[in-house]
């Protein structure tokens, strides 16, 4: 699981994590339980670029977790792009455009790697270095480097920038993603203690936030770095949550399947 590159990755980190009044609280509660369509519907009556971008981000995340809803995400993204009125809004829309193209590529729907790189490059040119949206962009550029360009060193540098930015801008959900992906790189290099720490921090944050839809992947990732019998216990808990959410995220199924018996 730790090296799948799919979770977003949302898997997915997003710029909205609850707060901001009753509407945002309701959106977060739905999103955190994998009800992206319902969460996006709450925003339909809101006008302006910010609501349009948030709605697009929700539907892009749904694609990443369910491998469905691509036309709806494209339509919402086009609306967000059309409404963007300044560089930060245009940069945010370009970041979501790149993330959708990345999701399509990494999930094997359609190869849009060039589009993903181009869109994130455009976002980098538009977003101010101190923009609150910059850490999410850095994280997504790390995903491109790790999973589309096979450049773990570049990915680590991008994840570390994202981690520092998420700390500065108080984005705990994004921190859960940066912890997880830095831990994945550590595991890839055999640094088990560092990997366990990062995966455990990611899981802790998600449980504290109530990010239920992201908790099963975090449990499965930590299991990859733990010895038995703890690894089996963590995978069993991940499997329980996975089935509770009706098989979301879809790509986690292969990670939770028991190994085939030796012949």
């Amino acid at each position: 699981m730790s090296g799948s590159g799919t979770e977003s990755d949302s898997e997915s980190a997003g710029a909205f994590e609850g707060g901001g009044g009753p509407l945002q609280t309701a959106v977060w509660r739905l999103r955190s339980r994998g009800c992206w369509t319902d969460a996006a519907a709450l925003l339909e009556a809101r006008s302006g670029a910010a609501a349009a971008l948030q709605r697009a981000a929700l539907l892009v995340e749904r694609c990443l977790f369910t491998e469905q809803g691509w036309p709806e995400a494209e339509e919402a993204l086009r609306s967000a792009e059309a409404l963007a009125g300044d560089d930060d809004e245009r940069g945010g829309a370009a970041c979501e455009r790149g993330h959708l193209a990345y999701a399509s590529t990494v999930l094997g729907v359609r190869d849009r790697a060039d589009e993903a790189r181009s869109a994130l490059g455009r976002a980098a040119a538009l977003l101010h270095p101190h923009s609150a949206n910059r850490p999410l962009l850095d994280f997504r550029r790390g995903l491109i480097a790790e999973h589309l360009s096979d450049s773990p060193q570049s990915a680590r540098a991008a994840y570390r920038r994202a981690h520092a930015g998420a700390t500065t801008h108080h984005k705990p959900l994004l921190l859960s993603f940066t912890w997880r992906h830095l831990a994945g790189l550590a595991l890839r290099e055999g640094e088990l203690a560092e990997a366990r720490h990062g995966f455990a921090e990611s899981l802790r944050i998600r449980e504290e936030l109530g990010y239920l839809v992201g908790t099963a992947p975090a449990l499965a990732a930590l299991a990859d770095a733990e010895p038995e019998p703890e690894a089996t216990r963590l995978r069993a808990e991940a499997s329980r949550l996975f089935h509770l959410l009706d098989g979301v995220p879809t790509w986690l199924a292969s990670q939770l399947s028991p190994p085939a018996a030796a012949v």
Side-chain angles (χ1 to χ4, degrees):
M1 177 62 236
S2 58
S4 69
T6 46
E7 179 190 2
S8 47
D9 272 357
S10 131
E11 96 80 321
S12 75
F16 43 96
E17 301 176 4
L23 175 62
Q24 291 300 326
T25 298
V27 168
W28 167 252
R29 285 175 177 168
L30 289 167
R31 178 197 178 194
S32 65
R33 288 159 177 76
C35 302
W36 298 279
T37 304
D38 293 337
L42 292 180
L43 298 166
E44 287 183 353
R46 297 290 296 270
S47 60
L53 181 59
Q54 184 177 359
R55 185 171 179 275
L58 284 165
L59 295 177
V60 170
E61 186 170 87
R62 180 181 67 166
C63 292
L64 195 59
F65 275 75
T66 69
E67 303 180 56
Q68 297 178 357
W70 304 92
E72 293 87 350
E74 289 281 0
E75 181 180 356
L77 190 50
R78 284 193 294 270
S79 295
E81 290 166 337
L83 288 169
D86 58 32
D87 282 352
D88 203 62
E89 291 170 351
R90 283 187 284 269
C95 189
E96 291 304 325
R97 168 69 61 190
H99 195 45
L100 184 62
Y102 165 82
S104 176
T105 305
V106 81
L107 291 172
V109 176
R110 181 160 65 89
D111 187 347
R112 298 170 61 180
D114 289 343
E115 180 187 352
R117 293 186 182 96
S118 175
L120 294 187
R122 187 163 63 253
L126 288 165
L127 292 174
H128 189 276
H130 300 299
S131 168
N133 289 324
R134 195 82 191 195
L136 180 59
L137 170 63
D138 286 332
F139 173 70
R140 289 174 173 174
R141 296 184 90 178
L143 295 176
I144 295 286
E146 181 179 4
H147 299 293
L148 301 188
S149 301
D150 192 24
S151 179
Q153 290 185 339
S154 296
R156 181 179 291 105
Y159 293 151
R160 284 176 174 167
R161 289 194 301 272
H163 192 86
T167 301
T168 299
H169 291 283
H170 307 291
K171 294 181 176 292
L173 182 60
L174 180 54
L175 274 176
S176 83
F177 284 97
T178 55
W179 272 121
R180 181 180 176 280
H181 284 269
L182 286 167
L185 291 176
L187 184 64
R188 181 172 172 175
E189 295 177 354
E191 300 291 340
L192 286 179
E194 183 179 346
R196 286 191 197 106
H197 175 69
F199 288 140
E201 283 297 295
S202 177
L203 176 61
R204 177 187 63 79
I205 292 170
R206 292 179 182 201
E207 289 179 335
E208 288 179 355
L209 291 175
Y211 188 50
L212 187 62
V213 75
T215 300
L219 287 163
L222 180 58
D224 286 345
E226 290 285 4
E228 296 293 354
E230 180 65 6
T232 294
R233 186 193 70 79
L234 289 166
R235 288 194 184 94
E237 179 62 12
S239 182
R240 185 187 69 81
L241 286 174
F242 176 73
H243 292 296
L244 179 67
L245 291 168
D246 295 324
V248 174
T250 54
W251 40 262
L252 189 58
S254 62
Q255 302 295 325
L256 296 176
S257 299
V263 177

